């Protein structure tokens, strides 16, 4: 559309991520955030909680149309699990408060793009344990652990929770990565530069529309 309307090449801009106002005490072991649908594999959280009774898991997620039976299954199974708290759907603000309290963020999906949940965790210094590592950024930057099997989940979660020093070092790498790549100035400069180029180029008439405003009768 930029090319057609303005003669300009499009550009990829990053996502703005709101930094936390404060750093609360990290009193939640593992946090999972996502819509309750099959591709997100919430069943894996239930499996991990059963395998790791000493770890406190927290799940946040609402039901999607057509996935209500799965939502009820996960909710009811979580209620029967002593070390798993199911919060259901929460507001953005309430979810952000949980990110800040988490020691680890867990992702169990079979398929993802680049989850916004990663950015919300990393900006708070929370490492991610996941099966999905976009462009191998987690492995390359040391932002948590990219598991290849569910059994590796258990080892990675246990190791990071058992070592505050390793978790803190990973958290510092997470904050550094966000500061380098997602600072407001860096993200907004792409938008502002594109807007400036578009304004300078001017907008040609759009095919099928009048070239000037039609006055009201």
């Amino acid at each position: 559309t930029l090319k057609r309307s303005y003669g300009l090449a499009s550009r990829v801009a990053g996502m703005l991520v709101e930094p936390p106002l404060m750093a609360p005490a990290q009193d939640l072991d593992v946090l999972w955030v996502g819509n309750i649908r099959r591709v997100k594999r919430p069943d894996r959280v239930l499996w991990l909680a059963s395998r790791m009774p000493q770890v406190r898991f927290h799940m946040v997620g609402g039901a999607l149309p057509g996935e209500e039976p799965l939502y009820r299954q996960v909710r009811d199974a979580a209620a029967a699990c002593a070390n798993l708290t199911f919060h259901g759907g929460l507001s953005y603000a309430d979810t952000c408060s949980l990110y800040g309290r988490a020691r680890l963020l867990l992702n169990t999906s079979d398929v993802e793009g680049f989850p916004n949940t990663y950015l919300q965790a990393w900006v708070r210094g929370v490492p991610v344990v996941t099966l999905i590592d976009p462009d191998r950024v987690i492995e390359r930057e040391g932002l948590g652990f990219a598991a290849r099997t569910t059994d590796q989940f258990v080892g990675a979660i246990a190791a990071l929770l058992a070592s505050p020093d390793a978790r803190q070092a990973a958290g510092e790498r997470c904050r550094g990565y966000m500061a380098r790549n997602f600072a407001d100035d860096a993200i907004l400069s792409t938008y502002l530069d594109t807007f400036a180029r578009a304004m300078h180029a001017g907008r040609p008439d759009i095919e099928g529309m009048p070239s000037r405003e039609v006055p009201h009768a």
Side-chain angles (χ1 to χ4, degrees):
T1 303
L2 272 174
K3 185 70 173 178
R4 183 174 64 250
S5 300
Y6 294 92
L8 299 174
S10 61
R11 303 173 67 185
V12 176
M15 180 179 291
L16 286 168
V17 183
E18 183 180 10
L21 297 177
M22 57 183 293
Q26 291 183 319
D27 56 354
L28 309 181
D29 287 336
V30 179
L31 176 66
W32 183 96
V33 179
N35 294 316
I36 306 299
R37 51 180 175 151
R38 296 191 185 280
V39 73
K40 297 288 188 179
R41 297 303 302 269
D43 58 298
R44 287 176 173 152
V45 185
L46 299 169
W47 181 84
L48 286 166
S50 69
R51 287 283 301 270
M52 308 182 75
Q54 75 283 6
V55 176
R56 294 169 294 173
F57 291 83
H58 289 252
M59 294 185 74
V60 177
L64 290 180
E67 299 275 12
E68 293 88 353
L70 177 63
Y71 178 88
R72 291 190 291 269
Q73 291 171 16
V74 172
R75 179 196 61 196
D76 295 345
C81 191
N83 62 323
L84 176 54
T85 300
F86 185 75
H87 296 270
L90 293 180
S91 68
Y92 172 78
D94 288 341
T95 304
C96 284
S97 70
L98 291 180
Y99 281 119
R101 293 170 57 192
R103 296 184 175 98
L104 299 174
L105 179 74
L106 176 66
N107 183 290
T108 56
S109 297
D110 282 331
V111 178
E112 290 278 9
F114 197 115
N116 183 57
T117 55
Y118 290 9
L119 304 181
Q120 295 290 348
W122 291 337
V123 79
R124 292 167 172 81
V126 178
V128 173
V129 178
T130 179
L131 289 169
I132 305 292
D133 187 2
D135 297 329
R136 298 178 65 186
V137 64
I138 294 174
E139 180 180 348
R140 186 176 65 251
E141 302 284 346
L143 309 179
F145 186 84
R148 289 175 174 79
T149 67
T150 48
D151 284 335
Q152 286 185 349
F153 266 134
V154 175
I157 291 170
L160 283 168
L161 289 179
S163 176
D165 290 343
R167 201 168 62 247
Q168 181 178 356
E172 290 173 355
R173 290 193 294 271
C174 292
R175 292 190 183 93
Y177 173 81
M178 293 299 293
R180 293 191 304 274
N181 296 280
F182 290 89
D184 285 355
D185 289 348
I187 299 300
L188 288 173
S189 64
T190 303
Y191 287 97
L192 295 174
D193 181 61
T194 301
F195 295 157
R197 290 190 299 121
M199 292 171 64
H200 179 74
R203 182 170 183 174
D205 295 341
I206 299 176
E207 183 178 354
M209 295 184 67
S211 59
R212 64 185 65 183
E213 183 177 352
V214 177
H216 294 289

